[in-house]
Amino acid sequence: MIGLPGSLSSIRGRETLARAQALKRTWPVVMDLCIAAIGLACFYGVVRIAHYWMGHAEPAIVISLSPRALPVYAFYSVVRIGLAYGISLVFAVGYGYVAAHSRRLEPLMVAGLDICQSIPVLSFLPGVMLAMVALFPTRQIGVEMGAILLIFTGEVWNMAFSFYSSIKSIPRELNEAATIYRFSRWQRLWQLELPYGAIGLVWNSMVSVAGGWFFLMACEMFVLGSRDFRLPGLGSYLQTAASDDDTRAILWGLAVMIGIIVAIDQLVWRPAITWSNKFKFEQVEGASRSRSPLLHLLTHSGALHSLRRHTLAPMSEKIYCSLAERRARRMVRADGVAVPASGGWMRWVIAAILIAGVVYLASQALALLREVTTPQFWAVMRGAGATFLRVNVSLAIAACWTIPVGVAIGFNPRLARIAQPLAQIAASVPATALFPIILLALIRVGGGMGIASILLMLIGTQWYILFNVIAGAMAIPSDLREVAQLFHFTTIQRWRTVILPGIFPFLITGMVTASGGAWNASIIAEYFHLKNQTMQTVGLGEQISSATDHGQFQLLLLSTVVMALMVVTINRMVWRPLFRLSETRFKLEG
């Protein structure tokens, strides 16, 4: 009787151990089944969207306001935004890489980036949409590709700026180590530049997708002259509901959009943030780290582990060996007889073709601008001054609250887990869906389109600064923060010596992209259709939107050129010197 309790406890211990071992054997199988289910769902989505896109073009699509149509509309919108983001990511990495490494092309490419980020989506709209429809006149894919490219123009520029500034701010010792170990260009990009820029790319990707949701209403339903282009999606659903003053449909559409944003946050952005934290440049690991159940699922999947071990790892090893052998052969040839440069004549031919194309397009643009009358010209100039003031007021208001809040979120992972999804939701909900409510409320209290346009610019662009400040705060090494705490720095000392220098490159990137976003948002903020009337105020955005509605392409071109020139001038005089300061004085290096 004395030994009975001991024997019972040993039996229970063996049963617990057996259950734990069975669970350990079963759990990887469950993970693999989840991965397989995700793969099958993606495959079905590809088949469904391909069947729709390759169908015949529908001349007049009627947008249903029934809640039953929302799942299909949401699926189409998510696919458009996802494809636009994929194109934006590839373009941003390639563009930022070339601009950062080519001394000859860098000034031209950065100036082009300044111009493109300031050109509103509606300025791209006529050429892009007509070109896509002409390429696929009988298929639905033409209009779809046009909408995707328009969303791309609203997502890509801040990501390209982020990756470019990340490469320019890589610490000198890391670049020297890559040079000493004779990294090839591919190795330097894959093992140094992409990891160093991962945090900025992830957070700018979030605000880019939020920008895609912001311009979704303009890209899925618009009028171009006498032609009405509309696509089934959440953007067209919300715009139709706002035009019909259907509050119930607006609430249904916003509820579905918020649900999608929360799902994307948990399935995409939370794992991406957790994954990017391992690329933080620091000597001491931080005490607290963000976690993601989905990332844990992916990293502990037996099928994915086997794929990496038996397929991806050997393939990458062969690629690296091939690159190393090729680089060694080039160095041997360089040490011997000099190899004559080839392809020089081809570069001259390509340059001549490009110059001829630019001259032809410039002559056509000048011919179109001759149709602008003197009153129209001065109206554009007055609009430029008004929009300039609104943009700067909205930037000042945004900076006042986003800098302290972004630093607090970046320094506190627990707060980030709560605030980051809320910020993502707030940034992604189209302000145009809320604009009727804001406008009517301001009219009742004695305001008007002048104040409402500033609020809409603020709602649409403050997130560029916030998300970049969060990324900058998260990128500050933990050892610097611990040193400041060890030496009992005051709050002012910590901000002056650690926080502001640490976030400065990210802050400048956020301010530049927010400035371009504010100019871009003016097309909606200064010209808005409410029920059966058009609410408008003096501004460049009003000129562009009105010219698009009435098919006045000469005014559209003049307004776009004036906006681009103003943005480039501001960037040259203000933001470019600050960029150089961030690349030299505020670079993290030993």
Side-chain angles (χ1 to χ4, degrees):
M1 296 295 294
I2 297 176
L4 185 58
S7 60
L8 288 175
S9 62
S10 63
I11 292 173
R12 290 172 182 170
R14 286 195 296 270
E15 291 177 351
T16 303
L17 180 62
R19 284 196 297 269
Q21 291 177 347
L23 182 61
K24 188 175 181 180
R25 290 191 299 268
T26 306
W27 186 239
V29 178
V30 174
M31 291 184 178
D32 293 342
L33 290 176
C34 292
I35 298 296
I38 294 173
L40 289 176
C42 293
F43 177 77
Y44 174 76
V46 170
V47 172
R48 178 70 182 266
I49 202 69
H51 177 73
Y52 169 65
W53 282 5
M54 298 311 296
H56 293 286
E58 301 181 26
I61 297 178
V62 178
I63 303 300
S64 172
L65 295 182
S66 172
R68 296 180 180 178
L70 281 172
V72 176
Y73 289 173
F75 170 71
Y76 289 148
S77 294
V78 169
V79 168
R80 294 182 191 114
I81 290 179
L83 288 176
Y85 168 72
I87 299 171
S88 301
L89 181 61
V90 174
F91 180 89
V93 171
Y95 197 97
Y97 178 86
V98 175
H101 286 284
S102 176
R103 293 184 178 180
R104 293 182 179 179
L105 296 178
E106 181 179 7
L108 180 62
M109 294 184 71
V110 174
L113 206 58
D114 294 340
I115 295 173
C116 290
Q117 71 148 350
S118 63
I119 296 178
V121 170
L122 289 184
S123 297
F124 290 105
L125 189 149
V128 170
M129 189 56 64
L130 293 177
M132 290 296 104
V133 173
L135 285 176
F136 306 96
T138 61
R139 300 293 177 182
Q140 184 67 21
I141 191 174
V143 184
E144 292 286 345
M145 290 302 297
I148 290 171
L149 289 179
L150 289 173
I151 298 173
F152 159 82
T153 61
E155 289 185 351
V156 66
W157 314 118
N158 62 299
M159 295 170 60
F161 260 119
S162 173
F163 190 63
Y164 165 76
S165 61
S166 295
I167 294 179
K168 299 295 287 186
S169 60
I170 291 177
R172 183 177 61 253
E173 57 265 29
L174 294 183
N175 280 319
E176 291 175 352
T179 303
I180 291 172
Y181 285 101
R182 296 182 178 180
F183 276 16
S184 64
R185 293 183 179 179
W186 173 256
Q187 287 175 303
R188 186 184 290 267
L189 172 66
W190 193 252
Q191 297 181 349
L192 173 60
E193 292 163 347
L194 278 175
Y196 192 82
I199 295 178
L201 271 179
V202 167
W203 285 93
N204 276 280
S205 295
M206 294 168 63
V207 74
S208 290
V209 173
W213 287 107
F214 183 86
F215 288 107
L216 191 66
M217 294 175 67
C219 296
E220 287 186 347
M221 188 174 179
F222 52 89
V223 176
L224 184 58
S226 60
R227 304 184 64 178
D228 186 0
F229 293 94
R230 62 182 66 195
L231 295 169
L234 271 179
S236 55
Y237 181 92
L238 286 171
Q239 187 168 346
T240 303
S243 300
D244 295 348
D245 198 17
D246 192 338
T247 306
R248 178 174 175 270
I250 292 176
L251 293 177
W252 270 109
L254 290 178
V256 171
M257 181 175 290
I258 291 173
I260 293 173
I261 293 166
V262 172
I264 291 175
D265 173 75
Q266 295 297 318
L267 297 176
V268 179
W269 302 130
R270 185 64 59 83
I273 291 172
T274 305
W275 168 80
S276 66
N277 280 335
K278 68 180 182 178
F279 301 118
K280 192 173 181 179
F281 182 66
E282 58 186 1
Q283 304 295 327
V284 180
E285 184 177 4
S288 56
R289 293 286 183 180
S290 58
R291 297 181 179 180
S292 168
L294 181 60
L295 184 63
H296 179 79
L297 170 68
L298 295 175
T299 54
H300 290 79
S301 170
L304 293 180
H305 177 72
S306 178
L307 178 65
R308 287 193 300 267
R309 181 178 179 182
H310 298 290
T311 304
L312 298 180
M315 185 182 301
S316 61
E317 188 68 25
K318 289 182 179 179
I319 292 175
Y320 284 136
C321 290
S322 175
L323 291 174
E325 292 175 358
R326 189 178 304 174
R327 181 177 177 83
R329 288 196 295 268
R330 283 201 303 266
M331 293 180 66
V332 169
R333 288 198 300 266
D335 291 339
V337 182
V339 180
S342 60
W345 63 273
M346 183 61 70
R347 286 195 294 268
W348 284 106
V349 170
I350 296 175
I353 294 174
L354 291 177
I355 292 173
V358 169
V359 170
Y360 173 76
L361 293 176
S363 63
Q364 295 297 315
L366 290 175
L368 188 61
L369 289 177
R370 291 194 187 99
E371 301 177 12
V372 178
T373 62
T374 302
Q376 290 176 335
F377 174 80
W378 287 114
V380 171
M381 293 298 105
R382 287 194 299 271
T387 304
F388 173 79
L389 293 177
R390 294 190 188 103
V391 166
N392 286 281
V393 170
S394 63
L395 283 180
I397 297 173
C400 287
W401 79 267
T402 54
I403 294 176
V405 171
V407 170
I409 295 174
F411 278 4
N412 192 335
R414 291 184 179 180
L415 178 61
R417 283 194 290 269
I418 300 173
Q420 179 257 319
L422 296 178
Q424 180 69 17
I425 293 171
S428 301
V429 173
T432 45
L434 305 175
F435 198 43
I437 302 173
I438 298 173
L439 184 57
L440 291 175
L442 285 173
I443 292 175
R444 288 180 181 177
V445 299
M449 278 296 293
I451 299 176
S453 60
I454 295 175
L455 287 179
L456 189 61
M457 288 183 184
L458 180 64
I459 293 172
T461 60
Q462 59 193 348
W463 312 111
Y464 291 100
I465 306 175
L466 177 64
F467 281 72
N468 274 281
V469 170
I470 294 174
M474 294 181 65
I476 294 177
S478 300
D479 41 359
L480 293 184
R481 294 164 54 187
E482 291 175 1
V483 167
Q485 186 176 2
L486 180 65
F487 284 95
H488 302 288
F489 280 12
T490 63
T491 302
I492 296 177
Q493 287 176 324
R494 285 195 302 119
W495 274 89
R496 189 178 69 248
T497 60
V498 177
I499 297 175
L500 287 179
I503 69 172
F504 190 78
F506 295 86
L507 176 62
I508 297 303
T509 300
M511 293 291 287
V512 171
T513 52
S515 176
W519 286 97
N520 207 330
S522 66
I523 62 174
I524 301 174
E526 297 173 349
Y527 188 92
F528 192 81
H529 295 287
L530 183 62
K531 296 182 181 179
N532 295 324
Q533 58 181 338
T534 301
M535 310 294 292
Q536 62 188 46
T537 186
V538 176
L540 268 183
E542 177 263 337
Q543 293 286 335
I544 291 174
S545 298
S546 176
T548 304
D549 272 358
H550 297 92
Q552 297 176 324
F553 295 108
Q554 72 278 9
L555 277 181
L556 177 63
L557 178 60
L558 176 63
S559 303
T560 303
V561 169
V562 170
M563 183 177 290
L565 290 176
M566 291 185 67
V567 172
V568 170
T569 303
I570 294 170
N571 286 349
R572 290 289 181 181
M573 297 178 62
V574 179
W575 303 123
R576 189 58 47 77
L578 294 177
F579 255 124
R580 295 194 190 99
L581 188 64
S582 68
E583 295 168 8
T584 54
R585 183 175 178 181
F586 299 111
K587 181 186 291 188
L588 285 173
E589 58 186 7

